[in-house]
Amino acid sequence: MLEINDLYVKCADEDLDILKGFSLTLEKGKVHAIMGPNGSGKSTLSKVIAGDENYEITSGNIRFNGEDISDYDATKRSLLGLFLAFQYPVEIPGVNNAEFLRMAYNSRQKHNGLPEADPLAFQDILLKKTNELNIPEEFLDRDLNSGFSGGEKKRNEILQLAVLEPSVAILDETDSGLDIDALKQVSEAINQLKNENNSFLIITHYQRILNYIEPDVVHIMMDGKIVESGPKELAIELDQKGYDHLVKLKS
Amino acid sequence: MMMDQTKEHALTDIVKKFESAFPNRKDEDWVNYDLDAVFHGTYQLPQYVEDEPSKRDGFYLHFKHNQLVSYHLPDGASLSKKDKHVAASSNGLIQMIQQSAETIQLDISNCESTIHIIQEATENTFACHCFNIVAHESTVTFNRTFIAPKNALLFSYCTVSVNNQSNVIIHDQNQKNDGKILEFSKAWVQADCHFYGLNQSFFSTHSRFDTEVFIEGESATARLHGIGLNHPKQELFYNTHVHHNVANTESHQLFKSVNQDDALFEYNGKVSVKKHAQNIESYQLNQNIVLDEVATVYSRPQLFIDADDVSCTHGSTTGDLNQEALFYLMSRGLGEEESKRMILHAFILEAFNHPQFEPFKPTSVLFDFDEQKV
């Protein structure tokens, strides 16, 4: 579904490689987790996949359902079915959350040749989603992420994910800043959205989110590339021994 | 169209009478404002016109040329004409306006109403409007519309006295004026009174708005918001000064602008707190978006505080569209242009984020930037 082949990436305005030969294949219906220490390039990876123009692919490519999307902008990638849940969702005061969601939803409907939803019809869709995900309806009346707590922002990302129903979702440190209850709620929502037709790439520092969302494969990322992959037990081992242990082993 | 030489000199002759008292650039602290350039034009002296019949609904005052030409007022509001009494002032511009125009006094008592004020100059002329508003136990909204067509020069001087639990809201609309506008407002706000000023200047060639507020009584507040949108080569100047003269008072200032190629925006905002005026809260923010590399923005939010128990903040930001927000919206499938307009729209609407200003929110999302590349 998503293939990343020997990807080298640098910041657009700096001559510094961040991803250095990163490769990954994400199959339909699977959950992959990427763990790694600070500065290993995890967040850069998520933004590059989503089409952030602050980064430049110098070599390698990203393929989505067989199509090379490396040169596509963020809009086109999203319309094809990619979704990034941001580590730090951006606050945009003045943009109503529900209206924004309707515009994003209709943009996708239009792209897929499906009928767009009027505000009334979309309200029904939204209320169904908020009920299913146990997200307060008052989220809808507020401005996009504006004044939201850290936990609320992450839950709002999951609501967007639920509305847009992407085929590949990248969750960039969705667990960071969440207390135990919020982590549980967010994880349950993600588990509800998982199905055999979509895939999830969970980027995290910690093993704890993987207690709730079971990954099929865990990858360890260091210095811009994957250095080890294995079953979910790899995350538990990493949690017990730490990244330093791995660094020593590798060296 | 060129005026003949006699008419062309009319304004400069008037200006000369006040030359000694005119503000100079140093007095005013402007960096980019050029008073000489404003006066350098081919303006005719305005003609006296007979009262015009009312063609408007609701309550209103209609100023045209140098006079009030028609009006319709609610119960509790009364008009009187003042003699041409020029108050001692260091500002020669204001002296000139006071002497050129008839001064109207509007007394408002026990009144809750909305009154439209139309301030109109006609093509190739200059006009001076001068009026005083005195409010007692009233809540009044003034919707003020400026009309300054091509090669017109519109001067305005307005004083507002807010007394006895009154709320006065002044909402200025300066939209697509090709002429030049110089507006001076002074407000005195007494105890338990509130003064609100909102200025919308959209796509006008050259405008300057000076607002000075004196907070004179405890528990009084002042809120000044302004939003300016400039197409290429348009110029907008905001000058504000809020004086906290007594303790336990509050003021807010939020001025924003969006500027395209070669546009010029300048904000000079001041807050002064007197020594005995303790327990003051004051917030002052100027935010600007520059859509092209060659637009000019000059921003100077300043605090002058002599008291020690105050909470005052000021800040200023100028930059292009928020790229993080742009990426965020695009990553949800919205197109680049649509995302940019959404960010602009959100930025502009923040100027209306107060219950008193909500009714004035513009409905157009595109704000006429759609004809240009954002």
Side-chain angles (χ1 to χ4, degrees), chain A residues 83-86 89-90 97 100-101 104-105 108 122 126 129 133 135 139-140 144-145 148 152-166 193, chain B residues 328-329 331-332:
Chain A
F83 181 90
L84 168 63
F86 281 60
V90 183
N97 205 19
F100 157 71
L101 279 165
Y105 176 84
R108 188 158 299 199
F122 188 67
L126 266 185
K129 296 289 182 190
L133 300 172
I135 288 174
F139 271 38
L140 305 176
L144 182 53
N145 295 324
F148 281 39
E152 286 176 331
K153 282 180 184 168
K154 299 295 172 80
R155 294 179 77 190
N156 201 33
E157 294 289 281
I158 302 305
L159 175 62
Q160 292 176 31
L161 195 158
V163 169
L164 298 178
E165 296 180 344
L193 298 170
Chain B
Y328 187 79
L329 295 179
S331 78
R332 299 308 185 238

mmCIF file of all heavy atoms in Angstrom, chain A residues 83-86 89-90 97 100-101 104-105 108 122 126 129 133 135 139-140 144-145 148 152-166 193, chain B residues 328-329 331-332:
data_model
loop_
_atom_site.group_PDB
_atom_site.id
_atom_site.type_symbol
_atom_site.label_atom_id
_atom_site.label_comp_id
_atom_site.label_asym_id
_atom_site.label_seq_id
_atom_site.Cartn_x
_atom_site.Cartn_y
_atom_site.Cartn_z
ATOM 1 N N PHE A 83 -3.084 10.221 5.522
ATOM 2 C CA PHE A 83 -3.473 11.104 6.618
ATOM 3 C C PHE A 83 -2.354 11.151 7.644
ATOM 4 O O PHE A 83 -1.815 10.123 8.042
ATOM 5 C CB PHE A 83 -4.757 10.591 7.287
ATOM 6 C CG PHE A 83 -5.230 11.463 8.419
ATOM 7 C CD1 PHE A 83 -6.113 12.504 8.185
ATOM 8 C CD2 PHE A 83 -4.792 11.251 9.727
ATOM 9 C CE1 PHE A 83 -6.540 13.321 9.224
ATOM 10 C CE2 PHE A 83 -5.217 12.059 10.770
ATOM 11 C CZ PHE A 83 -6.102 13.096 10.517
ATOM 12 N N LEU A 84 -2.006 12.358 8.060
ATOM 13 C CA LEU A 84 -1.017 12.516 9.135
ATOM 14 C C LEU A 84 -1.695 13.126 10.350
ATOM 15 O O LEU A 84 -2.244 14.234 10.272
ATOM 16 C CB LEU A 84 0.129 13.428 8.667
ATOM 17 C CG LEU A 84 1.098 13.921 9.753
ATOM 18 C CD1 LEU A 84 1.842 12.753 10.401
ATOM 19 C CD2 LEU A 84 2.118 14.917 9.178
ATOM 20 N N ALA A 85 -1.675 12.394 11.474
ATOM 21 C CA ALA A 85 -2.112 12.983 12.743
ATOM 22 C C ALA A 85 -0.892 13.674 13.333
ATOM 23 O O ALA A 85 0.111 13.027 13.652
ATOM 24 C CB ALA A 85 -2.632 11.900 13.676
ATOM 25 N N PHE A 86 -0.970 14.997 13.444
ATOM 26 C CA PHE A 86 0.202 15.794 13.802
ATOM 27 C C PHE A 86 0.605 15.607 15.269
ATOM 28 O O PHE A 86 -0.250 15.449 16.146
ATOM 29 C CB PHE A 86 -0.082 17.278 13.575
ATOM 30 C CG PHE A 86 0.017 17.714 12.138
ATOM 31 C CD1 PHE A 86 -0.794 17.147 11.166
ATOM 32 C CD2 PHE A 86 0.925 18.689 11.756
ATOM 33 C CE1 PHE A 86 -0.715 17.549 9.841
ATOM 34 C CE2 PHE A 86 1.023 19.095 10.437
ATOM 35 C CZ PHE A 86 0.197 18.528 9.478
ATOM 36 N N PRO A 89 -0.744 19.553 16.604
ATOM 37 C CA PRO A 89 -1.777 20.085 15.701
ATOM 38 C C PRO A 89 -1.823 21.615 15.766
ATOM 39 O O PRO A 89 -1.735 22.202 16.838
ATOM 40 C CB PRO A 89 -3.068 19.463 16.250
ATOM 41 C CG PRO A 89 -2.617 18.233 16.973
ATOM 42 C CD PRO A 89 -1.296 18.596 17.575
ATOM 43 N N VAL A 90 -1.942 22.219 14.594
ATOM 44 C CA VAL A 90 -1.842 23.684 14.504
ATOM 45 C C VAL A 90 -3.168 24.330 14.926
ATOM 46 O O VAL A 90 -4.242 23.884 14.522
ATOM 47 C CB VAL A 90 -1.500 24.091 13.054
ATOM 48 C CG1 VAL A 90 -1.328 25.601 12.944
ATOM 49 C CG2 VAL A 90 -0.235 23.383 12.586
ATOM 50 N N ASN A 97 -14.331 24.380 13.537
ATOM 51 C CA ASN A 97 -13.926 22.982 13.413
ATOM 52 C C ASN A 97 -14.862 22.192 12.497
ATOM 53 O O ASN A 97 -14.414 21.488 11.586
ATOM 54 C CB ASN A 97 -13.918 22.366 14.823
ATOM 55 C CG ASN A 97 -12.984 21.184 14.930
ATOM 56 O OD1 ASN A 97 -12.089 21.022 14.097
ATOM 57 N ND2 ASN A 97 -13.189 20.359 15.926
ATOM 58 N N PHE A 100 -14.612 23.365 8.864
ATOM 59 C CA PHE A 100 -13.347 22.895 8.299
ATOM 60 C C PHE A 100 -13.451 21.411 7.915
ATOM 61 O O PHE A 100 -13.047 20.999 6.826
ATOM 62 C CB PHE A 100 -12.219 23.110 9.314
ATOM 63 C CG PHE A 100 -11.033 22.222 9.127
ATOM 64 C CD1 PHE A 100 -10.168 22.397 8.056
ATOM 65 C CD2 PHE A 100 -10.765 21.196 10.026
ATOM 66 C CE1 PHE A 100 -9.082 21.569 7.876
ATOM 67 C CE2 PHE A 100 -9.686 20.374 9.860
ATOM 68 C CZ PHE A 100 -8.839 20.546 8.781
ATOM 69 N N LEU A 101 -14.025 20.623 8.829
ATOM 70 C CA LEU A 101 -14.167 19.191 8.558
ATOM 71 C C LEU A 101 -15.058 18.944 7.342
ATOM 72 O O LEU A 101 -14.797 18.058 6.531
ATOM 73 C CB LEU A 101 -14.747 18.480 9.789
ATOM 74 C CG LEU A 101 -13.729 18.157 10.877
ATOM 75 C CD1 LEU A 101 -14.429 17.812 12.181
ATOM 76 C CD2 LEU A 101 -12.855 16.991 10.444
ATOM 77 N N ALA A 104 -13.057 19.699 4.230
ATOM 78 C CA ALA A 104 -12.085 18.638 3.967
ATOM 79 C C ALA A 104 -12.805 17.378 3.456
ATOM 80 O O ALA A 104 -12.361 16.733 2.500
ATOM 81 C CB ALA A 104 -11.300 18.331 5.239
ATOM 82 N N TYR A 105 -13.933 17.081 4.071
ATOM 83 C CA TYR A 105 -14.720 15.898 3.684
ATOM 84 C C TYR A 105 -15.201 16.054 2.236
ATOM 85 O O TYR A 105 -15.066 15.139 1.414
ATOM 86 C CB TYR A 105 -15.908 15.758 4.639
ATOM 87 C CG TYR A 105 -16.867 14.641 4.320
ATOM 88 C CD1 TYR A 105 -16.622 13.338 4.747
ATOM 89 C CD2 TYR A 105 -18.036 14.889 3.598
ATOM 90 C CE1 TYR A 105 -17.514 12.314 4.460
ATOM 91 C CE2 TYR A 105 -18.932 13.882 3.307
ATOM 92 C CZ TYR A 105 -18.672 12.591 3.741
ATOM 93 O OH TYR A 105 -19.553 11.582 3.452
ATOM 94 N N ARG A 108 -12.602 15.626 -0.436
ATOM 95 C CA ARG A 108 -12.327 14.213 -0.734
ATOM 96 C C ARG A 108 -13.463 13.586 -1.533
ATOM 97 O O ARG A 108 -13.228 12.820 -2.472
ATOM 98 C CB ARG A 108 -12.112 13.455 0.583
ATOM 99 C CG ARG A 108 -11.633 12.046 0.360
ATOM 100 C CD ARG A 108 -10.936 11.497 1.559
ATOM 101 N NE ARG A 108 -9.755 12.292 1.881
ATOM 102 C CZ ARG A 108 -8.750 11.876 2.625
ATOM 103 N NH1 ARG A 108 -8.796 10.676 3.144
ATOM 104 N NH2 ARG A 108 -7.713 12.633 2.883
ATOM 105 N N PHE A 122 -24.026 16.879 6.707
ATOM 106 C CA PHE A 122 -22.719 16.648 7.304
ATOM 107 C C PHE A 122 -22.796 16.643 8.831
ATOM 108 O O PHE A 122 -22.044 15.924 9.494
ATOM 109 C CB PHE A 122 -21.707 17.692 6.825
ATOM 110 C CG PHE A 122 -20.307 17.378 7.266
ATOM 111 C CD1 PHE A 122 -19.640 16.269 6.763
ATOM 112 C CD2 PHE A 122 -19.670 18.152 8.215
ATOM 113 C CE1 PHE A 122 -18.361 15.955 7.185
ATOM 114 C CE2 PHE A 122 -18.394 17.844 8.650
ATOM 115 C CZ PHE A 122 -17.735 16.747 8.131
ATOM 116 N N LEU A 126 -21.144 13.945 11.291
ATOM 117 C CA LEU A 126 -20.250 14.335 12.391
ATOM 118 C C LEU A 126 -20.732 13.818 13.742
ATOM 119 O O LEU A 126 -19.953 13.309 14.543
ATOM 120 C CB LEU A 126 -20.160 15.863 12.466
ATOM 121 C CG LEU A 126 -19.014 16.537 11.729
ATOM 122 C CD1 LEU A 126 -19.024 18.025 12.010
ATOM 123 C CD2 LEU A 126 -17.669 15.960 12.148
ATOM 124 N N LYS A 129 -20.018 10.233 14.184
ATOM 125 C CA LYS A 129 -18.596 9.989 14.470
ATOM 126 C C LYS A 129 -18.250 10.355 15.916
ATOM 127 O O LYS A 129 -17.528 9.620 16.592
ATOM 128 C CB LYS A 129 -17.708 10.801 13.513
ATOM 129 C CG LYS A 129 -17.831 10.428 12.055
ATOM 130 C CD LYS A 129 -17.221 9.083 11.750
ATOM 131 C CE LYS A 129 -17.329 8.761 10.262
ATOM 132 N NZ LYS A 129 -16.955 7.369 9.955
ATOM 133 N N LEU A 133 -16.885 7.727 18.719
ATOM 134 C CA LEU A 133 -15.537 7.895 19.283
ATOM 135 C C LEU A 133 -15.559 8.490 20.687
ATOM 136 O O LEU A 133 -14.504 8.742 21.275
ATOM 137 C CB LEU A 133 -14.699 8.799 18.366
ATOM 138 C CG LEU A 133 -14.497 8.294 16.941
ATOM 139 C CD1 LEU A 133 -13.822 9.356 16.083
ATOM 140 C CD2 LEU A 133 -13.650 7.030 16.929
ATOM 141 N N ILE A 135 -16.359 11.457 21.590
ATOM 142 C CA ILE A 135 -15.757 12.798 21.559
ATOM 143 C C ILE A 135 -16.858 13.829 21.821
ATOM 144 O O ILE A 135 -17.939 13.739 21.230
ATOM 145 C CB ILE A 135 -15.078 13.057 20.194
ATOM 146 C CG1 ILE A 135 -13.794 12.221 20.112
ATOM 147 C CG2 ILE A 135 -14.766 14.534 19.976
ATOM 148 C CD1 ILE A 135 -13.101 12.254 18.779
ATOM 149 N N PHE A 139 -16.744 20.048 20.686
ATOM 150 C CA PHE A 139 -15.559 20.203 19.839
ATOM 151 C C PHE A 139 -15.931 20.846 18.511
ATOM 152 O O PHE A 139 -15.160 21.578 17.909
ATOM 153 C CB PHE A 139 -14.950 18.822 19.522
ATOM 154 C CG PHE A 139 -13.934 18.324 20.518
ATOM 155 C CD1 PHE A 139 -14.105 18.548 21.868
ATOM 156 C CD2 PHE A 139 -12.819 17.614 20.100
ATOM 157 C CE1 PHE A 139 -13.187 18.071 22.786
ATOM 158 C CE2 PHE A 139 -11.893 17.139 21.002
ATOM 159 C CZ PHE A 139 -12.079 17.359 22.346
ATOM 160 N N LEU A 140 -17.111 20.506 18.029
ATOM 161 C CA LEU A 140 -17.513 20.910 16.677
ATOM 162 C C LEU A 140 -17.749 22.408 16.572
ATOM 163 O O LEU A 140 -17.548 23.004 15.517
ATOM 164 C CB LEU A 140 -18.779 20.152 16.255
ATOM 165 C CG LEU A 140 -18.673 18.621 16.352
ATOM 166 C CD1 LEU A 140 -19.998 17.972 16.015
ATOM 167 C CD2 LEU A 140 -17.564 18.110 15.437
ATOM 168 N N LEU A 144 -10.755 25.651 15.112
ATOM 169 C CA LEU A 144 -9.877 24.519 14.862
ATOM 170 C C LEU A 144 -8.660 24.495 15.804
ATOM 171 O O LEU A 144 -7.747 25.310 15.678
ATOM 172 C CB LEU A 144 -9.419 24.577 13.395
ATOM 173 C CG LEU A 144 -8.515 23.473 12.870
ATOM 174 C CD1 LEU A 144 -9.092 22.097 13.139
ATOM 175 C CD2 LEU A 144 -8.274 23.668 11.389
ATOM 176 N N ASN A 145 -8.733 23.573 16.745
ATOM 177 C CA ASN A 145 -7.664 23.359 17.747
ATOM 178 C C ASN A 145 -7.403 24.567 18.647
ATOM 179 O O ASN A 145 -6.514 24.518 19.497
ATOM 180 C CB ASN A 145 -6.332 22.964 17.072
ATOM 181 C CG ASN A 145 -6.423 21.635 16.369
ATOM 182 O OD1 ASN A 145 -7.098 20.732 16.854
ATOM 183 N ND2 ASN A 145 -5.775 21.500 15.238
ATOM 184 N N PHE A 148 -7.635 24.413 22.565
ATOM 185 C CA PHE A 148 -7.761 23.004 22.958
ATOM 186 C C PHE A 148 -6.578 22.627 23.858
ATOM 187 O O PHE A 148 -5.455 23.111 23.641
ATOM 188 C CB PHE A 148 -7.722 22.080 21.728
ATOM 189 C CG PHE A 148 -9.005 21.994 20.944
ATOM 190 C CD1 PHE A 148 -9.801 23.099 20.722
ATOM 191 C CD2 PHE A 148 -9.418 20.783 20.408
ATOM 192 C CE1 PHE A 148 -10.975 23.016 19.989
ATOM 193 C CE2 PHE A 148 -10.587 20.678 19.678
ATOM 194 C CZ PHE A 148 -11.371 21.802 19.457
ATOM 195 N N GLU A 152 -7.085 17.238 24.017
ATOM 196 C CA GLU A 152 -8.211 17.562 23.128
ATOM 197 C C GLU A 152 -7.742 17.666 21.679
ATOM 198 O O GLU A 152 -8.436 17.228 20.761
ATOM 199 C CB GLU A 152 -8.854 18.885 23.561
ATOM 200 C CG GLU A 152 -9.694 18.756 24.827
ATOM 201 C CD GLU A 152 -10.254 20.098 25.293
ATOM 202 O OE1 GLU A 152 -9.616 21.148 25.023
ATOM 203 O OE2 GLU A 152 -11.311 20.087 25.936
ATOM 204 N N LYS A 153 -6.561 18.234 21.503
ATOM 205 C CA LYS A 153 -6.029 18.356 20.130
ATOM 206 C C LYS A 153 -5.830 16.975 19.504
ATOM 207 O O LYS A 153 -6.158 16.753 18.339
ATOM 208 C CB LYS A 153 -4.687 19.094 20.147
ATOM 209 C CG LYS A 153 -4.825 20.598 20.292
ATOM 210 C CD LYS A 153 -3.469 21.255 20.302
ATOM 211 C CE LYS A 153 -3.616 22.747 20.544
ATOM 212 N NZ LYS A 153 -2.362 23.402 20.848
ATOM 213 N N LYS A 154 -5.285 16.060 20.325
ATOM 214 C CA LYS A 154 -5.032 14.713 19.795
ATOM 215 C C LYS A 154 -6.348 14.008 19.473
ATOM 216 O O LYS A 154 -6.463 13.305 18.470
ATOM 217 C CB LYS A 154 -4.223 13.887 20.802
ATOM 218 C CG LYS A 154 -2.836 14.473 21.129
ATOM 219 C CD LYS A 154 -1.925 14.455 19.915
ATOM 220 C CE LYS A 154 -0.616 15.189 20.123
ATOM 221 N NZ LYS A 154 0.398 14.466 20.838
ATOM 222 N N ARG A 155 -7.340 14.229 20.285
ATOM 223 C CA ARG A 155 -8.648 13.611 20.029
ATOM 224 C C ARG A 155 -9.295 14.234 18.798
ATOM 225 O O ARG A 155 -9.997 13.553 18.045
ATOM 226 C CB ARG A 155 -9.552 13.753 21.260
ATOM 227 C CG ARG A 155 -9.019 12.952 22.439
ATOM 228 C CD ARG A 155 -9.872 13.109 23.655
ATOM 229 N NE ARG A 155 -11.075 12.312 23.560
ATOM 230 C CZ ARG A 155 -12.092 12.403 24.413
ATOM 231 N NH1 ARG A 155 -12.059 13.280 25.394
ATOM 232 N NH2 ARG A 155 -13.137 11.636 24.283
ATOM 233 N N ASN A 156 -9.053 15.507 18.604
ATOM 234 C CA ASN A 156 -9.586 16.174 17.407
ATOM 235 C C ASN A 156 -8.917 15.623 16.144
ATOM 236 O O ASN A 156 -9.553 15.534 15.087
ATOM 237 C CB ASN A 156 -9.383 17.685 17.523
ATOM 238 C CG ASN A 156 -10.330 18.458 16.628
ATOM 239 O OD1 ASN A 156 -11.476 18.031 16.401
ATOM 240 N ND2 ASN A 156 -9.877 19.559 16.096
ATOM 241 N N GLU A 157 -7.651 15.275 16.264
ATOM 242 C CA GLU A 157 -6.969 14.645 15.127
ATOM 243 C C GLU A 157 -7.635 13.307 14.786
ATOM 244 O O GLU A 157 -7.807 12.965 13.612
ATOM 245 C CB GLU A 157 -5.486 14.400 15.464
ATOM 246 C CG GLU A 157 -4.649 15.654 15.649
ATOM 247 C CD GLU A 157 -4.391 16.403 14.355
ATOM 248 O OE1 GLU A 157 -3.515 15.992 13.590
ATOM 249 O OE2 GLU A 157 -5.091 17.403 14.109
ATOM 250 N N ILE A 158 -7.987 12.581 15.829
ATOM 251 C CA ILE A 158 -8.621 11.271 15.603
ATOM 252 C C ILE A 158 -10.012 11.449 14.989
ATOM 253 O O ILE A 158 -10.430 10.660 14.136
ATOM 254 C CB ILE A 158 -8.695 10.475 16.936
ATOM 255 C CG1 ILE A 158 -7.290 10.293 17.520
ATOM 256 C CG2 ILE A 158 -9.380 9.121 16.748
ATOM 257 C CD1 ILE A 158 -6.280 9.645 16.601
ATOM 258 N N LEU A 159 -10.702 12.504 15.400
ATOM 259 C CA LEU A 159 -12.011 12.790 14.794
ATOM 260 C C LEU A 159 -11.839 13.077 13.297
ATOM 261 O O LEU A 159 -12.610 12.586 12.463
ATOM 262 C CB LEU A 159 -12.660 13.991 15.501
ATOM 263 C CG LEU A 159 -13.970 14.495 14.902
ATOM 264 C CD1 LEU A 159 -15.056 13.413 14.968
ATOM 265 C CD2 LEU A 159 -14.467 15.755 15.624
ATOM 266 N N GLN A 160 -10.818 13.844 12.958
ATOM 267 C CA GLN A 160 -10.551 14.133 11.546
ATOM 268 C C GLN A 160 -10.241 12.844 10.789
ATOM 269 O O GLN A 160 -10.709 12.624 9.669
ATOM 270 C CB GLN A 160 -9.371 15.095 11.423
ATOM 271 C CG GLN A 160 -9.665 16.490 11.944
ATOM 272 C CD GLN A 160 -8.428 17.394 11.900
ATOM 273 O OE1 GLN A 160 -7.577 17.253 11.051
ATOM 274 N NE2 GLN A 160 -8.351 18.309 12.845
ATOM 275 N N LEU A 161 -9.459 11.993 11.445
ATOM 276 C CA LEU A 161 -9.111 10.711 10.841
ATOM 277 C C LEU A 161 -10.385 9.895 10.564
ATOM 278 O O LEU A 161 -10.553 9.315 9.494
ATOM 279 C CB LEU A 161 -8.183 9.961 11.804
ATOM 280 C CG LEU A 161 -7.391 8.756 11.323
ATOM 281 C CD1 LEU A 161 -6.192 8.540 12.241
ATOM 282 C CD2 LEU A 161 -8.205 7.493 11.305
ATOM 283 N N ALA A 162 -11.281 9.915 11.531
ATOM 284 C CA ALA A 162 -12.525 9.144 11.396
ATOM 285 C C ALA A 162 -13.394 9.692 10.270
ATOM 286 O O ALA A 162 -14.030 8.940 9.533
ATOM 287 C CB ALA A 162 -13.286 9.169 12.712
ATOM 288 N N VAL A 163 -13.416 11.002 10.135
ATOM 289 C CA VAL A 163 -14.265 11.621 9.103
ATOM 290 C C VAL A 163 -13.671 11.395 7.712
ATOM 291 O O VAL A 163 -14.397 11.107 6.756
ATOM 292 C CB VAL A 163 -14.420 13.139 9.386
ATOM 293 C CG1 VAL A 163 -15.050 13.862 8.204
ATOM 294 C CG2 VAL A 163 -15.260 13.358 10.638
ATOM 295 N N LEU A 164 -12.368 11.485 7.602
ATOM 296 C CA LEU A 164 -11.738 11.417 6.279
ATOM 297 C C LEU A 164 -11.467 9.983 5.823
ATOM 298 O O LEU A 164 -11.225 9.743 4.630
ATOM 299 C CB LEU A 164 -10.443 12.236 6.274
ATOM 300 C CG LEU A 164 -10.642 13.737 6.542
ATOM 301 C CD1 LEU A 164 -9.311 14.482 6.571
ATOM 302 C CD2 LEU A 164 -11.542 14.360 5.479
ATOM 303 N N GLU A 165 -11.508 9.043 6.760
ATOM 304 C CA GLU A 165 -11.343 7.612 6.449
ATOM 305 C C GLU A 165 -10.206 7.353 5.458
ATOM 306 O O GLU A 165 -10.439 6.843 4.348
ATOM 307 C CB GLU A 165 -12.660 7.044 5.898
ATOM 308 C CG GLU A 165 -13.774 7.088 6.929
ATOM 309 C CD GLU A 165 -15.088 6.539 6.400
ATOM 310 O OE1 GLU A 165 -15.240 6.410 5.172
ATOM 311 O OE2 GLU A 165 -15.964 6.232 7.230
ATOM 312 N N PRO A 166 -8.978 7.685 5.837
ATOM 313 C CA PRO A 166 -7.853 7.468 4.914
ATOM 314 C C PRO A 166 -7.502 5.987 4.806
ATOM 315 O O PRO A 166 -7.870 5.187 5.683
ATOM 316 C CB PRO A 166 -6.722 8.235 5.595
ATOM 317 C CG PRO A 166 -7.042 8.144 7.041
ATOM 318 C CD PRO A 166 -8.526 8.182 7.151
ATOM 319 N N LEU A 193 -11.208 2.347 14.392
ATOM 320 C CA LEU A 193 -11.069 2.781 12.998
ATOM 321 C C LEU A 193 -10.237 1.793 12.154
ATOM 322 O O LEU A 193 -10.265 1.845 10.940
ATOM 323 C CB LEU A 193 -10.412 4.170 12.949
ATOM 324 C CG LEU A 193 -11.218 5.282 13.633
ATOM 325 C CD1 LEU A 193 -10.393 6.558 13.753
ATOM 326 C CD2 LEU A 193 -12.495 5.570 12.839
ATOM 327 N N TYR B 328 -0.915 22.202 7.317
ATOM 328 C CA TYR B 328 -1.925 21.457 8.080
ATOM 329 C C TYR B 328 -3.230 21.345 7.275
ATOM 330 O O TYR B 328 -3.802 20.264 7.137
ATOM 331 C CB TYR B 328 -2.182 22.172 9.409
ATOM 332 C CG TYR B 328 -3.078 21.413 10.362
ATOM 333 C CD1 TYR B 328 -2.583 20.359 11.122
ATOM 334 C CD2 TYR B 328 -4.410 21.745 10.511
ATOM 335 C CE1 TYR B 328 -3.395 19.664 11.995
ATOM 336 C CE2 TYR B 328 -5.231 21.055 11.379
ATOM 337 C CZ TYR B 328 -4.720 20.022 12.132
ATOM 338 O OH TYR B 328 -5.529 19.335 12.993
ATOM 339 N N LEU B 329 -3.676 22.462 6.729
ATOM 340 C CA LEU B 329 -4.947 22.453 5.982
ATOM 341 C C LEU B 329 -4.808 21.640 4.694
ATOM 342 O O LEU B 329 -5.704 20.876 4.330
ATOM 343 C CB LEU B 329 -5.388 23.885 5.659
ATOM 344 C CG LEU B 329 -5.739 24.768 6.859
ATOM 345 C CD1 LEU B 329 -6.140 26.160 6.399
ATOM 346 C CD2 LEU B 329 -6.869 24.161 7.692
ATOM 347 N N SER B 331 -2.852 19.206 4.218
ATOM 348 C CA SER B 331 -2.737 17.780 4.538
ATOM 349 C C SER B 331 -4.092 17.150 4.817
ATOM 350 O O SER B 331 -4.196 15.947 5.010
ATOM 351 C CB SER B 331 -1.810 17.580 5.741
ATOM 352 O OG SER B 331 -2.494 17.884 6.942
ATOM 353 N N ARG B 332 -5.126 17.988 4.856
ATOM 354 C CA ARG B 332 -6.491 17.454 5.027
ATOM 355 C C ARG B 332 -7.254 17.469 3.701
ATOM 356 O O ARG B 332 -8.468 17.287 3.667
ATOM 357 C CB ARG B 332 -7.257 18.281 6.065
ATOM 358 C CG ARG B 332 -6.637 18.277 7.461
ATOM 359 C CD ARG B 332 -6.378 16.853 7.963
ATOM 360 N NE ARG B 332 -5.905 16.801 9.332
ATOM 361 C CZ ARG B 332 -4.757 16.251 9.703
ATOM 362 N NH1 ARG B 332 -3.949 15.705 8.806
ATOM 363 N NH2 ARG B 332 -4.411 16.206 10.966
#
